[in-house]
Structure formats: structure tokens, C-alpha cells
Amino acid sequence: MDFSFSEEQQAAQEAAKAVFSQVTPDAVESPAVTQGTVADDFDRALWQQLARSDLLGLAVPAHHGGLGLDPVALCLVLREAGRALARVPLLETSAAAFTLAAHGTEELCAELLPRVAAGELVLTVAGQGRTGHEPAERAVTARPSPDEGGWLLDGVQTAVPWAATADLVVVPAHTADGRPLLALVAPGAEGVSAAEQASTNGERYAEVELAGVRVRSRDVVDHPEAPGRLHRLLATGTCALALGLGSRVLEMTSEYVSRREQFGFPLATFQAVAVQAADRYIDLRAMEATLWQAAWRLEPADVAVAKMWAADGVRRVVQTAQHLHGGMGADTDYPLHRFHAWAKQWELSYGSAAAHEEALADLLATH
């Protein structure tokens, strides 16, 4: 079997490298020195560059104006985004587009997906539930609207990225009989309120409360597998972001210990430093191997294993980098502390390592 990436996947990766090579992590204020959020919105200029490079249409089928690629291609692009700490909802918009293409009605797909590919429609996802430690669909109830059809939504979703500036929020919910569904909600719709939340990386998040929010039937994806597929895509994409971040941090650390001298010798020549760097290299290779398995199959067990490695691995990488950099790692004029903040955000997003260990144990016990 040939496990190499296809020409289309490699082309997407090269296009992403070209776009994200122009991004600098210190383009906004550091979260370490800013009260609240570092900016009111995500990087709109970068978003338009991604649209011009056709990278927003990766998940959109060709007949809706996209490239029609797979989650592996998306993860190749997200890995490059993670290296640059790109401040765009690429993961959320793409994961929602993949899910809509797989389970949405043709009418809904025809209305939304061409606009996604063109960069005209920004989607985000309320994927953390009420507390961040529960299935997101359990946090919101959906009941039939008695007067005009459709649904009424009630509940709270926490840590919704860029909820105030996205065009639509994909909200997982459940019906009275426990059936899961996805509803597309405009942030300014009647009954929607958002309380500002500053994330660990300083980006603008929100706790979104829904009180009797009306949603048309055409704006609901009621396929029972849709919420689970969406969550797996989000978790897998977070693994790709963490891998890109971790790879860049290890490169930064290697460069630093190679030129920083102690007792007349580069730090890299000390055995204790080399052993720690080697351990983190092994972490990255394990993160990479489990990521591609998860992106290829999107099976719950594979995604759980990938997120376990990504969450623990990226934490170890940035902690070792801080240690080997010494005081330089905490200097806000040096970019490493930003990578640490983003690593912590992605470590816990869409389930910590412990949460996915528990999910894997449940899967093993069931089968």
C-alpha cells in the first residue's frame, strides 16, 4: 500500500506554506501583557488570502465551488497554520463544511457551501458543551416550535471561538427523546446572548446562551451521526494544529541551544539537553503517526488516541522548550511564550487527554 500523500494533498500543503509563511506570531499584543482579548476579531486579511488560495474550499465538494478534498488534506493545512499561530477559524469553518457536505440537505449545502469556499461566510462551532467536559449536544435542548414549524433551542455553550464575529454558529443540541442534531444559528438572532470570554491564547471567545431561539427546519441537520462526526473532525484538527505548533517550538529550541553557550560550549552538546530534546522529538513523531491514522479513518478510537498524544505531547514540548530556553522563554519580546499559551488552549480544546482516555476505555469496554 502507498501511504504517501496525494498530489492534491501536497498541493494544498504547499499553498498553505506560502500563505502562512507571511504570518508572524507577534502580529497582535501578547496575551501575557493584555487584559482581556488581544483583538476584537480574527485576522480578516489572512482569511481573504486563504480564500484566494482556494484553501477555504478544501472541505467543499467540487460541484459547490470547492476542491472536494478529505480531512487528511485539511490536517496538512492546519499543521502549517499551527506553526504560525494563525488567528483564523479555519478549523471550525472547515469541520462544519465537511459535516454539512456529508449530512446536510442539498438545499442547505447549495445555499452555504459556495459562500464558504469564497470566504464570504464564516462558520464557528459551539463544540465544548456547557462546561467543556460533556458532549456538546447535551448542553442544548431542541423542542419543536408549536406555531411555525422548526425548532426552539434552550441551553448554554461555553468557549465558542469568535462567536461575536462569525456569521453562523453551528450548535449541537438534543431532542426530548435524546436524538442529536445540529442547528445553524446567527449570533444576532433573537434569544441569543453572548458573554465575553478571554481564552488562554488571548483570542475572543464567548459563552453563548440560547433562550427559546427559533431555528427553521431547513437550517437543521438532523442526521444522527452529524454531531459525532463534527466533534471528531474538530478534535482531529486540533491535533494537527498542535503538531504544527510543537514542530515549530522544537525547531526554535534546537536553534537556541545550538548557539547559546555555557562554560564555553553550546548547550546542545550537553547530554541532559540532548536527551530532553530527543524525548520531545519522539513525542512529535507519535503525535504525527496517530494524527494521520485519525484523519484517515475518523473512527472514535483513533481520534481518542490521537488527541491523547497531542494533548500530552504538545504540553511536554512547550514545557521542555521553556526549561531549555531559561529566562528567555518567559521574555515577552521573544515569541516562545505565545506558543505556550496556544499549546495550552489546544491541549484542552474538544477534550483533554484524560477525557479521551476515558472515552477510549468506554469504547474498549463496549467492544
Side-chain angles (χ1 to χ4, degrees), residues 89-114:
L90 178 61
L91 168 59
E92 292 78 13
T93 294
S94 299
F98 267 124
T99 306
L100 287 172
H103 301 301
T105 64
E106 182 57 33
E107 179 185 17
L108 185 61
C109 290
E111 178 184 350
L112 300 182
L113 294 183

Side-chain angles (χ1 to χ4, degrees), residues 240-258:
L241 292 167
L243 176 62
L245 182 153
S247 299
R248 180 67 190 111
V249 166
L250 190 61
E251 291 170 10
M252 292 169 60
T253 306
S254 176
E255 294 165 3
Y256 180 78
V257 298
S258 295

